[in-house]
Amino acid sequence: MTDPVASARAQLAESARLKLWLAENLAERLAAAARLVAEALKGGNKVMFCGNGGSAADSQHLAAELVGRYRRNRPGLAALALTADTSALTAIGNDFGFEEVFSRQVEALGRPGDVLIAISTSGRSPNVLRAVEAARARGLKTIGLAGRDGGPLAALADVALVVPSADTARIQECHLTLGHVLCDLVEAELAGGEA
C-alpha cells in the first residue's frame, strides 16, 4: 500500500518543481502573451478562451478574472469562454460535430484584433486545434497552453506556453498558474497601480 504522506509530498514537490521550471523558462513568453492580450483589449477587442474538461473550467475561470477583476479594481475587460454556452455547444456538436464546437463560435464571434487562448493538456484536442485554425484564418492572435511536447497546438499558436510534463493534473495546475500571472500582467498594463 502506498504511503499517503509520501505520495502527497511527492505530488506537491513535483508541482512546485514544474512551477519553478515555468519561472525560469517561460516568463518571457508569458509576458509576450500578456502583451498580446493587453494590446487587443486596449484596441477595443476581446479575448476568447476554449478547452475541454478541466481546461474548459480554466477557460471560464480566467475569462471571469478579466471580466470581473483579478486583483485590481478597474473596468471590466472583454473576455468570454467559448465553453460556457451550452445551447451553442450542443447545437453545434449535434449539427456539425464535436470537433467544430469552438471553431464555429470563433467564426461567429471572432474579429481581427481579438485573441484566442486555446488550452489543451495534450496539445492535440481536435476541437481546440480547429478553433486556432479558424482564429488564424480570421486574423485573430492565438495563445496556446499545452503540456507534454506541445503537440500541434504549439506549432499553430502565435505564442505557445508548454508545460513539460505528461501528468495531466500537474499540467492543469501549471496552466492555471500561467493564466493567473497573465491576468495580473494584463491588469497591471491596463489599470496600473496596486491591488
Side-chain angles (χ1 to χ4, degrees), residues 87-98:
S87 295
L89 291 170
T90 56
I92 296 164
N94 185 62
D95 295 347
F96 298 96
F98 189 67

Side-chain angles (χ1 to χ4, degrees), residues 135-172:
R136 292 176 64 89
R138 294 190 62 81
L140 282 71
K141 296 294 185 184
T142 57
I143 298 167
L145 275 67
R148 297 176 173 78
D149 64 359
L153 179 58
L156 276 175
D158 293 308
V159 179
L161 301 167
V162 180
V163 178
S165 173
D167 186 324
T168 298
R170 301 294 84 84
I171 296 166
Q172 289 172 332

Side-chain angles (χ1 to χ4, degrees), residues 113-144:
D114 290 345
V115 175
L116 174 70
I117 299 180
I119 310 173
S120 169
T121 58
S122 68
R124 291 173 165 72
S125 302
N127 58 0
V128 172
L129 296 175
R130 292 210 185 166
V132 174
E133 291 165 353
R136 292 176 64 89
R138 294 190 62 81
L140 282 71
K141 296 294 185 184
T142 57
I143 298 167

Side-chain angles (χ1 to χ4, degrees), residues 32-81:
R35 279 192 300 275
L36 277 182
V37 172
E39 288 304 314
L41 293 169
K42 281 182 192 175
N45 296 103
K46 66 184 166 297
V47 184
M48 298 182 290
F49 294 84
C50 68
N52 297 296
S55 300
D58 289 345
S59 294
Q60 291 171 227
H61 179 149
L62 296 171
E65 301 285 22
L66 294 176
V67 172
R69 62 171 274 183
Y70 181 63
R71 292 180 192 246
R72 295 164 176 84
N73 288 323
R74 40 83 182 157
L77 302 173
L80 69 144

Side-chain angles (χ1 to χ4, degrees), residues 5-25:
V5 174
S7 178
R9 185 173 289 123
Q11 290 181 64
L12 292 167
E14 177 61 9
S15 185
R17 184 194 69 76
L18 281 168
K19 290 182 181 111
L20 287 173
W21 187 93
L22 299 179
E24 294 171 8
N25 295 279

